[in-house]
């Protein structure tokens, strides 16, 4: 298991754990340069790991050896800005690979970019830069389980951009779906998380401020059609994920300190609220659960 956090000196670290005798044993801690460590991810083939820093806009790429330990492949620091007050400098927010575990994609909320790297190359330098609409603020990506498609959840414009993944790892823009206005009256709305169903038919997003979960159906690979939206039954839904059966969503409401179950109809993708919830302090991430 790999986790990000801060050490006793308050500096960013990656901790590596081994599961033995029904307990996690820490194997090693790796210091990470930069500030605002916010995301960690592993390629599907379990050969590489990447982390990104929001505040300083830098990333580090690692190889994973047979013992599960990390070997640094290099560091990358982005620069630039865009049009909103939150975009005065680079703010990397996500790292993730395509389904072939070759191309690594980083989102930069500060520069309105998706930055692409080739994992087969020895140096950690971009091979493509995909520019989004100024003010979009790309936050997270979701990769279609079967098709060469990637969905960018744009936090600042509350929108979803669909791209085709080309053979060389570059992205071709297909369509854009507006979720809701970024501000309604005095209420600030910020998209936070995106997930795609196992069958690739339905896309779900969370929006903080409005505190809602939206469900969409993918239509002919080119656009999203709204199915319905439901309340997150809490404040500030930071993340959510599917159950093993795909019949439920588990939603983490960070500010109301609760994790809520939302039911999902497999055929239609429609969502239904429930009364099932768990009190937990400031939940902000949900991984696979059974």
């Amino acid at each position: 298991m790999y986790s990000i956090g801060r050490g006793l000196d308050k500096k960013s670290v990656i901790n590596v754990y081994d599961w033995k005798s029904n307990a996690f044993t820490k194997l090693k801690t790796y210091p990470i340069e930069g500030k605002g460590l916010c995301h960690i991810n592993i390629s599907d083939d379990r050969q590489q790991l990447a982390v990104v820093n929001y505040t300083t806009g830098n990333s580090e790429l690692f190889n994973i050896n047979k013992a599960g330990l990390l070997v640094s492949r290099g560091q990358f620091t982005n620069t630039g800005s865009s049009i909103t007050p939150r975009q005065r400098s680079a703010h990397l927010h996500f790292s993730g690979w395509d389904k072939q575990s070759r191309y690594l994609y980083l989102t930069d909320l500060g520069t309105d970019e998706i930055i692409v790297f080739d994992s087969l190359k020895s140096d950690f330098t971009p091979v493509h830069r995909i520019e989004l609409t100024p003010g979009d603020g790309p936050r997270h990506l979701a990769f279609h389980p079967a098709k060469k498609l990637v969905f960018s959840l744009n936090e600042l414009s509350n929108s979803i951009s669909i791209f085709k993944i080309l053979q060389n790892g570059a992205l071709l823009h297909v369509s854009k779906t507006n979720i809701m206005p970024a501000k309604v009256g005095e209420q600030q709305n910020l998209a936070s998380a995106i997930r795609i169903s196992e069958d690739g038919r339905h896309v779900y997003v969370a929006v903080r401020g409005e505190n809602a979960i939206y469900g969409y159906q993918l239509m002919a690979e080119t656009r999203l059609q709204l199915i319905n939206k439901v309340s997150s039954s809490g404040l500030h839904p930071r993340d959510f994920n599917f159950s093993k059966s795909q019949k439920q969503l588990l939603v983490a409401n960070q500010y109301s300190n609760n994790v809520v179950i939302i039911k999902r109809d497999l055929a239609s993708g429609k969502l239904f609220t429930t009364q099932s919830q768990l009190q937990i302090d400031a939940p902000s991430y949900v991984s696979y659960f059974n």
Side-chain angles (χ1 to χ4, degrees):
M1 183 178 75
Y2 303 87
S3 70
I4 53 176
R6 288 190 291 179
L8 296 177
D9 58 0
K10 304 299 182 183
K11 292 185 178 180
S12 298
V13 297
I14 299 174
N15 291 310
V16 182
Y17 299 87
D18 193 20
W19 177 256
K20 288 182 179 179
S21 302
N22 294 320
F24 282 114
T25 301
K26 186 186 288 187
L27 296 180
K28 195 164 183 179
T29 295
Y30 297 85
I32 299 296
E33 295 297 323
K35 294 181 179 180
L37 189 61
C38 68
H39 196 264
I40 183 172
N41 214 341
I42 299 174
S43 59
D44 284 352
D45 64 6
R46 302 294 189 263
Q47 298 298 304
Q48 291 187 317
L49 176 150
V51 293
V52 296
N53 286 294
Y54 178 86
T55 306
T56 49
N58 65 298
S59 174
E60 188 162 1
L61 175 66
F62 296 87
N63 286 341
I64 303 174
N65 66 21
K66 292 182 179 180
L69 299 178
L70 305 179
V71 180
S72 181
R73 277 277 305 277
Q75 297 186 23
F76 165 77
T77 300
N78 202 29
T79 58
S81 60
S82 193
I83 63 172
T84 75
R86 282 188 59 190
Q87 296 178 305
R88 291 175 179 149
S89 63
H91 294 306
L92 295 181
H93 213 310
F94 170 92
S95 61
W97 282 262
D98 63 3
K99 292 302 179 180
Q100 287 68 47
S101 297
R102 175 170 180 179
Y103 291 103
L104 171 66
Y105 297 83
L106 308 183
T107 62
D108 195 318
L109 183 147
T111 64
D112 291 315
E113 291 177 295
I114 300 172
I115 308 166
V116 189
F117 300 80
D118 188 344
S119 293
L120 296 184
K121 290 195 171 186
S122 58
D123 59 330
F124 188 34
T125 57
V127 293
H128 307 289
R129 288 178 178 268
I130 289 81
E131 296 182 1
L132 282 76
T133 304
D136 269 349
R139 177 183 175 92
H140 280 188
L141 302 179
F143 295 85
H144 194 279
K147 303 179 185 297
K148 294 275 191 177
L149 296 174
V150 63
F151 301 74
S152 173
L153 181 66
N154 307 316
E155 176 176 341
L156 302 184
S157 64
N158 283 322
S159 63
I160 308 164
S161 298
I162 303 179
F163 297 89
K164 284 188 176 180
I165 304 175
L166 305 182
Q167 190 171 357
N168 64 356
L171 302 180
L172 177 65
H173 184 259
V174 175
S175 67
K176 186 176 182 179
T177 300
N178 293 317
I179 304 168
M180 68 169 307
K183 194 171 184 180
V184 177
E186 295 300 313
Q187 178 179 282
Q188 188 74 33
N189 300 305
L190 297 169
S192 58
I194 182 168
R195 304 282 183 182
I196 299 178
S197 60
E198 204 171 59
D199 60 12
R201 297 173 56 232
H202 302 125
V203 177
Y204 299 92
V205 299
V207 178
R208 297 161 293 180
E210 186 188 26
N211 300 320
I213 308 296
Y214 284 73
Y216 294 90
Q217 183 170 346
L218 179 61
M219 309 296 289
E221 299 185 12
T222 60
R223 64 184 180 88
L224 294 173
Q225 179 173 295
L226 181 66
I227 302 169
N228 76 322
K229 70 172 180 176
V230 296
S231 169
S232 71
S233 298
L235 303 176
H236 208 78
R238 183 69 178 264
D239 195 27
F240 66 94
N241 214 331
F242 295 97
S243 66
K244 183 179 180 180
S245 68
Q246 299 269 300
K247 293 180 179 179
Q248 297 89 20
L249 297 181
L250 190 67
V251 182
N253 292 300
Q254 188 175 19
Y255 289 174
S256 54
N257 303 312
N258 64 332
V259 177
V260 175
I261 293 290
I262 292 176
K263 287 186 177 181
R264 171 179 176 259
D265 181 77
L266 293 179
S268 68
K270 192 173 183 179
L271 301 175
F272 304 89
T273 58
T274 76
Q275 299 301 311
S276 299
Q277 63 176 280
L278 172 71
Q279 296 301 125
I280 187 170
D281 186 36
S284 62
Y285 174 77
V286 182
S287 188
Y288 179 88
F289 70 109
N290 197 340

